[in-house]
Amino acid sequence: MIRVHGYLGTITDAMRDDVAHADLVVGGQRHLDALDVPDDKREKLGLIGPAVERIQSLPDDARVVVIASGDPLFFGVVRRIRQAGLNVEVVTAPTSLQAAFAAVALPWDDAQFVSSHSKSVETAIRLARIHPKVGVLTAPGRGLAELVDGLAGCGKTFVLAERIGEENQRVRVLDEDAARAVVADEDVASPNVVLVLDHHPDSPEAVGVNPELAGDVNVNAPDDPQPGTDTNPDGSDRDPIIGQVINSDAAAAHAEAIDHALKRETKKYVGPSRTGLAAAWGECDLIVSHLALGATTRLIAPLLESKKTDPGVVVVDEAGRFAIPLVGGHVGGANELSRTISAALGGTAVVSTATDSLGVPALDQLGWAYEGDVAGVTGSIIAGRPVQVVREHPWPLPPLPKNVSEEASDPAARIIVSDRTADAASTAVGGTDLPTVVLHPRSLVVGMGCNKGTDVDHLRSLLDDTLAEAGLAPGSVTILTSHEVKAGELGMIKLAHERGLEYLTHSAEELAAQQVPT
């Protein structure tokens, strides 16, 4: 039996009783010391991977207690334990972020939360620039000092909550100047969290409004696919999460018509448009904004990072006459969504990307990684000039215009399909000064092993160095695989997650049956 206790400054009788009868207690150093856990029964909680492996090594009837800071279901350890196939019971506690909001009597249901343990502090800074309430779970080098510097001149109020929930907790409300003074003159006590607010907590504006999220995403049956799409913008086969930002009765009516056309209920963000759009940006793959085009553009500008990761955004005017893909036309799926919306509202999809307008396949919409001069090659395709296709293996391609073929003579541009790096692929087929795009099909599977507890930085370097030595493209890797004893190896899991790879493990019997060189 594994029982996970949340801990926020208070040791309960139930927690002490569980610890007294446990075969193993997992927790932070201060948790283990506070509970007087004997050395032979304690597992210090740093990386979760080693703790999971030790739990898995115990008999099935062993009693395990895990002590987690705050709510273990919120940026906590329960997800990782469950992912390892272990069943748990949970005794929760408030999160430090919730406790910080409570300390200044502010509702937190309309706030956005960021863990700087798993995301860079820039994520919190970018979100705080447009959202009136952001709670940040800080980490070393990713705390108050970095937030103040990143939000300089934005007029933010900072709530610094140190040792929240403990007897010696301290909560301070600071403007930018006061926050800079704290950073310069003293060491901020750990653990701490920071709330970044548009208004002082005592002001009526800081109270905010009830968020109104009507409905959620419904999963379509396999024979009822999402109109206009085969896969989600992130490459998976789940349905994309679609949100609609609504600020008027007309917009609400249009939103219902869009739901009907999509045969599903989308997420609705009703209320202050800035708050709704910021929330949708963090939660959705596609966003329908019923705000003005200019207002939408200004609100999303600070959030834009990459067309490969940003959600697609479609703007619908007040009368429902036009559906305009603003960003993410190809990769984000906004072009297809705009066509569905225009059909639902009897309006017009204003698609401005040249490939869509002319019915030419987009090189950045094949679901493959790519390198090279996309604009130059696409320009030649659109202009009708001959474009040569070179494939090292017969990977399938979509239907191409007549001027794009493997037999093209005197080509003006070239498309190479290869799982080698761009340089290696170009050299293999003969270098040229022609505009060239190298498409990397997802064709490579990487097997890796490592010592227990190896950090993700070492694994990342090993993977990149090995691929570079072989002249293989990282973008063609689709699966990371290892021995089943590494199923809970945190470094491997992190590497697969950051590269967007499937992580599979195999039994010794499966691996022994494979013919390998060594």
Side-chain angles (χ1 to χ4, degrees):
M1 185 270 289
I2 304 170
R3 181 168 290 154
V4 182
H5 281 271
Y7 174 91
L8 192 66
T10 301
I11 299 175
T12 65
D13 291 340
M15 189 187 302
R16 286 196 184 277
D17 184 62
D18 278 346
V19 168
H21 294 90
D23 299 298
L24 177 67
V25 181
V26 179
Q29 185 71 50
R30 62 194 181 94
H31 302 152
L32 299 172
D33 291 345
L35 288 159
D36 298 321
V37 179
D39 289 342
D40 62 334
K41 289 187 176 182
R42 64 168 61 190
E43 174 75 23
K44 183 179 176 181
L45 185 59
L47 293 175
I48 185 64
V52 169
E53 287 187 354
R54 186 169 176 186
I55 294 171
Q56 290 174 320
S57 70
L58 296 174
D60 291 341
D61 59 352
R63 296 170 67 92
V64 178
V65 174
V66 180
I67 310 297
S69 295
D71 182 354
L73 304 172
F74 186 84
F75 294 137
V77 301
V78 169
R79 179 175 285 110
R80 281 287 293 108
I81 295 174
R82 291 287 307 279
Q83 286 172 339
L86 299 170
N87 294 321
V88 299
E89 297 177 4
V90 179
V91 181
T92 192
T95 72
S96 55
L97 288 169
Q98 292 170 343
F101 274 106
V104 291
L106 279 186
W108 56 266
D109 56 347
D110 57 337
Q112 293 286 302
F113 296 107
V114 178
S115 170
S116 288
H117 292 273
S118 58
K119 293 182 178 294
S120 69
V121 73
E122 284 74 20
T123 301
I125 291 168
R126 192 172 67 252
L127 189 58
R129 286 184 180 276
I130 69 165
H131 201 284
K133 288 184 186 176
V134 176
V136 184
L137 191 64
T138 62
R142 304 174 187 175
L144 180 64
E146 291 72 25
L147 290 167
V148 173
D149 285 343
L151 295 166
C154 294
K156 295 291 184 177
T157 296
F158 301 88
V159 176
L160 173 62
E162 301 163 275
R163 297 194 181 99
I164 193 74
E166 300 180 14
E167 290 183 0
N168 58 345
Q169 79 171 31
R170 179 165 61 168
V171 179
R172 288 179 281 178
V173 179
L174 310 166
D175 61 17
E176 183 178 324
D177 290 338
R180 288 192 183 280
V182 168
V183 170
D185 297 340
E186 62 180 88
D187 292 329
V188 176
S190 292
N192 64 78
V193 297
V194 177
L195 311 182
V196 185
L197 310 174
D198 270 4
H199 306 282
H200 191 283
D202 293 340
S203 69
E205 294 91 342
V207 174
V209 296
N210 257 358
E212 191 172 339
L213 300 182
D216 209 329
V217 179
N218 297 321
V219 178
N220 293 328
D223 60 349
D224 185 21
Q226 169 65 21
T229 63
D230 296 319
T231 60
N232 187 57
D234 65 7
S236 69
D237 58 4
R238 68 171 174 83
D239 285 331
I241 299 172
I242 301 175
Q244 301 200 60
V245 181
I246 299 167
N247 65 344
S248 69
D249 291 341
H254 295 156
E256 293 303 320
I258 292 169
D259 281 3
H260 181 73
L262 294 173
K263 299 179 181 179
R264 60 193 289 191
E265 193 171 23
T266 58
K267 283 193 170 187
K268 311 298 193 308
Y269 298 83
V270 182
S273 54
R274 183 174 68 163
T275 302
L277 193 51
W281 191 272
E283 298 171 356
C284 300
D285 303 303
L286 284 157
I287 300 171
V288 181
S289 172
H290 295 272
L291 317 176
L293 183 65
T296 303
T297 303
R298 285 189 292 272
L299 289 173
I300 70 170
L303 300 173
L304 293 169
E305 282 190 327
S306 167
K307 70 177 183 179
K308 295 182 180 181
T309 57
D310 293 336
V313 179
V314 177
V315 178
V316 177
D317 70 300
E318 181 77 5
R321 293 175 298 176
F322 302 106
I324 308 165
L326 181 57
V327 295
H330 283 157
V331 179
N335 286 352
E336 287 300 322
L337 181 59
S338 69
R339 294 188 179 98
T340 301
I341 291 172
S342 64
L345 303 181
T348 301
V350 185
V351 178
S352 59
T353 46
T355 50
D356 285 87
S357 301
L358 300 174
V360 174
L363 298 176
D364 58 358
Q365 202 180 10
L366 300 179
W368 292 348
Y370 56 89
E371 300 177 77
D373 187 358
V374 173
V377 174
T378 302
S380 292
I381 296 174
I382 292 171
R385 294 189 287 268
V387 175
Q388 181 188 30
V389 176
V390 181
R391 290 188 291 178
E392 294 187 347
H393 298 284
W395 289 297
L397 289 170
L400 299 169
K402 292 181 179 180
N403 60 312
V404 183
S405 72
E406 293 176 299
E407 294 77 31
S409 59
D410 194 21
R414 187 167 64 179
I415 299 171
I416 302 173
V417 186
S418 173
D419 52 17
R420 306 191 205 196
T421 62
D423 288 342
S426 296
T427 300
V429 301
T432 178
D433 293 332
L434 292 176
T436 299
V437 167
V438 180
L439 301 176
H440 297 304
R442 296 177 67 83
S443 57
L444 301 178
V445 176
V446 174
M448 290 184 71
C450 67
N451 293 328
K452 179 180 177 181
T454 302
D455 63 70
V456 69
D457 292 335
H458 284 88
L459 294 173
R460 187 189 307 112
S461 296
L462 174 62
L463 175 59
D464 289 341
D465 291 347
T466 302
L467 292 172
E469 289 173 11
L472 295 172
S476 281
V477 178
T478 183
I479 294 172
L480 182 66
T481 185
S482 191
H483 191 283
E484 63 182 356
V485 299
K486 297 299 176 184
E489 188 68 46
L490 184 59
M492 300 283 274
I493 293 170
K494 282 186 174 180
L495 178 61
H497 177 72
E498 71 179 33
R499 294 294 173 92
L501 306 177
E502 185 178 5
Y503 181 45
L504 298 178
T505 58
H506 302 281
S507 67
E509 292 75 18
E510 288 178 292
L511 295 174
Q514 306 305 311
Q515 296 296 320
V516 293
T518 59

